[in-house]
Amino acid sequence: MVAPTSKKLFSVTLRVWRQAGPAAPGRFVDYPAKDVNPDMSFLELLDVVNDEITVKGDEPIAFAHDCREGICGTCSCTINGKPHGPGKGIATCQLYMRSFQEGDTIVVEPFRAKAFPIQKDLVTDRAAFDKIQQAGGFISVRTGAAPDANSIPVPKEDADLAMDAATCIGCGACVAACKNASAMLFVAAKVSHLGLMPQGQPERDKRVLAMVQTMDEAGFGNCTNQYECSAVCPKLISHDFIARMNRDYVAALFKSRFQPASNAAAGGGA
């Protein structure tokens, strides 16, 4: 039994992208949603609509979800043309139906990017992000226990910037918003997070070169500084990190290619 509510309920239409599999053709299908509570999250509405679809004997809408607290980065949908929908600094699971009005038609589709192939309906394969992370988003030095790590002085400005970068949840909204499907904001956040910490210095050059190379190999596009990425980021990560990563990349590339002449090859001698 549904608990009574004093909220004014309303009705909307969900226009959802349905695609049975990676190679199957896709299309938009309309689903009416009645008695929508404005305090429902968008994912809760999808749950309700799926219950109704299932009762009718049809295949429910496939969508990705996990924590529903804006932490895991799983709930990635494009809603009315914007990754994660209307609002700023929120994931799809933090979008509430009070953002919409009576009679609205809400268009829901998966993130569109070559590197994020559609698996089914609203679910995409974002394994490309995992490959980038595995290429260098870690440190292999021994940091010791927590007290040992805490004994290393870190300037507050660096600590704050590293924490800002570390808030990236890898949802892929930056890629979906970019007209080139660039992953620069994601990679920049991961590179900067470790590059700002003393524990990340031994592998700093190797890290940025490997992660950028893996990003290019995965099929992501180039960055053209339009900043749609930071505009839709649910954690409000600044595009300034891209400039920081570019500086690290150029420095690492130069050092990897520069070979000083040895004394033996310098000529002269007795």
Side-chain angles (χ1 to χ4, degrees):
M1 181 178 178
V2 180
T5 177
S6 59
K7 301 288 184 179
K8 183 178 180 180
L9 307 182
F10 61 100
S11 299
V12 297
T13 298
L14 289 185
R15 182 163 294 163
V16 183
W17 181 261
R18 302 303 309 266
Q19 184 170 336
R27 63 190 180 95
F28 283 105
V29 179
D30 287 356
Y31 296 98
K34 300 179 180 179
D35 298 329
V36 176
N37 189 315
D39 289 338
M40 294 172 65
S41 73
F42 194 82
L43 295 191
E44 288 173 331
L45 177 66
L46 287 178
D47 288 335
V48 171
V49 171
N50 269 347
D51 287 342
E52 297 174 354
I53 293 174
T54 303
V55 168
K56 294 178 181 178
D58 295 330
E59 184 76 14
I61 302 165
F63 66 97
H65 61 93
D66 192 3
C67 75
R68 301 199 179 203
E69 295 178 349
I71 299 172
C72 69
T74 305
C75 59
S76 300
C77 295
T78 298
I79 302 169
N80 286 346
K82 181 181 178 183
H84 295 306
K88 190 174 180 64
I90 59 172
T92 304
C93 59
Q94 297 170 305
L95 173 64
Y96 290 92
M97 294 310 298
R98 52 180 172 266
S99 299
F100 304 97
Q101 298 179 356
E102 170 69 38
D104 280 354
T105 296
I106 306 171
V107 181
V108 192
E109 55 190 315
F111 283 179
R112 307 284 189 178
K114 178 183 178 181
F116 292 164
I118 298 174
Q119 297 300 292
K120 184 176 182 180
D121 296 340
L122 306 178
V123 180
T124 59
D125 182 359
R126 285 168 288 169
F129 270 10
D130 296 332
K131 293 178 181 178
I132 294 172
Q133 187 74 4
Q134 291 161 6
F138 54 85
I139 59 173
S140 56
V141 297
R142 294 183 179 273
T143 59
D148 299 322
N150 289 337
S151 68
I152 302 175
V154 180
K156 185 177 187 305
E157 181 180 356
D158 290 346
D160 289 345
L161 281 174
M163 184 61 70
D164 290 344
T167 59
C168 173
I169 57 178
C171 67
C174 52
V175 175
C178 178
K179 66 179 183 180
N180 303 321
S182 172
M184 286 288 279
L185 187 64
F186 167 77
V187 179
K190 299 304 180 182
V191 167
S192 299
H193 164 213
L194 296 174
L196 285 159
M197 293 286 97
Q199 296 90 341
Q201 299 312 308
E203 296 166 304
R204 181 171 182 169
D205 294 342
K206 179 182 177 181
R207 175 183 304 112
V208 67
L209 292 174
M211 294 184 77
V212 170
Q213 179 180 343
T214 305
M215 172 184 67
D216 292 340
E217 292 173 350
F220 293 102
N222 296 322
C223 175
T224 50
N225 297 314
Q226 299 297 307
Y227 305 143
E228 288 98 336
C229 53
S230 55
V232 301
C233 177
K235 297 305 176 182
L236 302 177
I237 295 174
S238 173
H239 47 259
D240 289 344
F241 285 112
I242 296 177
R244 175 180 290 274
M245 184 188 73
N246 283 338
R247 292 194 296 269
D248 280 0
Y249 180 77
V250 171
L253 192 64
F254 177 79
K255 285 186 281 186
S256 70
R257 295 184 177 181
F258 176 70
Q259 297 293 335
S262 65
N263 291 332

